[in-house]
Amino acid sequence: MRDLQALVRRAPGPLRSLAGGVSTWTHVERLDAVRERLADLYGYDVTTLRGTATVGDEETESISSAYVVVAPPDRWRIVERGHVEACDGDRIWSGTATLVTESPADQASIREAGVIGICLYPGPLVSGLLFDTPEAGEIQGRDCWVAGGTVRLTGEAELSAALAVSGGRHVREFVGVEHRFWFDTETGIVLRHEGFIDGERCSCIELVDVVVDRPVSPSEFGAPPGAVRRSTHELLRDHLADLGVDPDLVDLDDPDQVRRALRGAL
């Protein structure tokens, strides 16, 4: 067990690059049940789960997929439903194939880049979950450790760690009360996750068609060819002007000035 914890804490370990797809599935009707159960465990709602089932909803399942290519720690491209996000280590572009917003890379991190971020950096999980004894397995042609996990609430220190995980991205993406993980034995990344409530599956994340450590061209991490690039300053100037605020009177690098200008215009 200690070997598994150490492996996951070190993730993504020796990984030089990864390309493939990320497939996610969620049973929408069970999201509120997961939220309520976790709120009972912690004493308040620690989640920010996306999607809420209501009476009369026709859709009971949510399915999405994305193409990703990553070169840790600071280069990535994610393409999902027409949205593109790419980072070359210095700049990050976010938008569509024809129009992107450009900003410094220090304003973003692959750890926060959607589902792929938590799959590559699952380290906080070992503090927030209590894992069963892992079993050797294989998925997507890669050796893995398969282990179930439940919320660890055995003491004040463990509770604080669990809250840190559950109040952050991991509960939003790794949805469930009980969990089952497939950890890559070489890198510690999450190749598959299934979440459950009362024995019923409520979510699934899986990396598919995975290719590890192939050479990746730097162009993979650039802005879409031919896309119009606009800086965050340009967009902010336009937004302030639309609100009737003279952007030349605001230091756009000062968050407090920007907030005051926006509040005054609303």
Side-chain angles (χ1 to χ4, degrees):
M1 179 58 66
R2 289 182 179 177
D3 290 343
L4 175 63
Q5 292 177 341
L7 175 71
V8 176
R9 284 196 178 99
R10 290 195 303 268
L15 182 72
R16 295 191 301 274
S17 71
L18 179 145
V22 180
S23 175
T24 63
W25 170 88
T26 303
H27 192 285
V28 179
E29 291 182 344
R30 294 174 187 146
L31 290 183
D32 280 346
V34 170
R35 176 185 288 112
E36 291 171 4
R37 186 68 53 81
L38 292 175
D40 288 341
L41 287 172
Y42 292 120
Y44 62 94
D45 187 358
V46 299
T47 74
T48 51
L49 296 176
R50 295 172 297 184
T52 302
T54 58
V55 177
D57 276 351
E58 295 182 0
E59 298 294 332
T60 60
E61 297 181 351
S62 174
I63 301 172
S64 65
S65 60
Y67 166 76
V68 300
V69 56
V70 183
D74 59 0
R75 295 183 295 159
W76 70 86
R77 173 183 294 273
I78 303 171
V79 182
E80 180 179 15
R81 294 180 180 176
H83 180 80
V84 178
E85 181 174 292
C87 180
D88 66 359
D90 295 318
R91 294 160 297 175
I92 184 168
W93 297 274
S94 181
T96 68
T98 58
L99 176 64
V100 291
T101 301
E102 181 178 296
S103 56
D106 59 8
Q107 297 181 10
S109 167
I110 183 58
R111 296 170 185 262
E112 301 298 323
V115 177
I116 188 61
I118 61 166
C119 287
L120 292 181
Y121 292 91
L125 284 170
V126 297
S127 298
L129 296 177
L130 179 64
F131 288 104
D132 300 333
T133 301
E135 301 177 353
E138 181 180 332
I139 191 170
Q140 290 292 314
R142 295 188 63 82
D143 293 333
C144 63
W145 289 111
V146 187
T150 54
V151 175
R152 184 201 300 261
L153 295 174
T154 58
E156 185 175 347
E158 288 82 0
L159 174 60
S160 297
L163 286 172
V165 174
S166 299
R169 294 183 53 77
H170 290 81
V171 159
R172 288 213 303 270
E173 309 293 356
F174 291 145
V175 179
V177 178
E178 304 93 30
H179 305 268
R180 190 165 182 82
F181 290 91
W182 285 252
F183 294 107
D184 185 70
T185 58
E186 181 181 2
T187 64
I189 68 174
V190 175
L191 296 172
R192 181 181 174 93
H193 164 266
E194 292 182 349
F196 301 85
I197 180 169
D198 296 331
E200 294 186 292
R201 194 171 71 152
C202 59
S203 71
C204 179
I205 295 172
E206 186 171 11
L207 304 189
V208 297
D209 300 324
V210 172
V211 178
V212 170
D213 290 345
R214 71 168 172 84
V216 181
S217 169
S219 63
E220 286 270 18
F221 307 112
V228 176
R229 307 180 189 185
R230 301 201 66 194
S231 70
T232 52
H233 274 194
E234 288 178 301
L235 293 177
L236 184 53
R237 288 180 64 87
D238 288 350
H239 183 51
L240 289 170
D242 289 342
L243 294 175
V245 177
D246 184 350
D248 292 330
L249 301 179
V250 181
D251 182 353
L252 301 182
D253 292 315
D254 185 332
D256 289 335
Q257 282 196 37
V258 172
R259 281 193 292 270
R260 286 195 296 269
L262 290 173
R263 283 198 299 266
L266 295 178

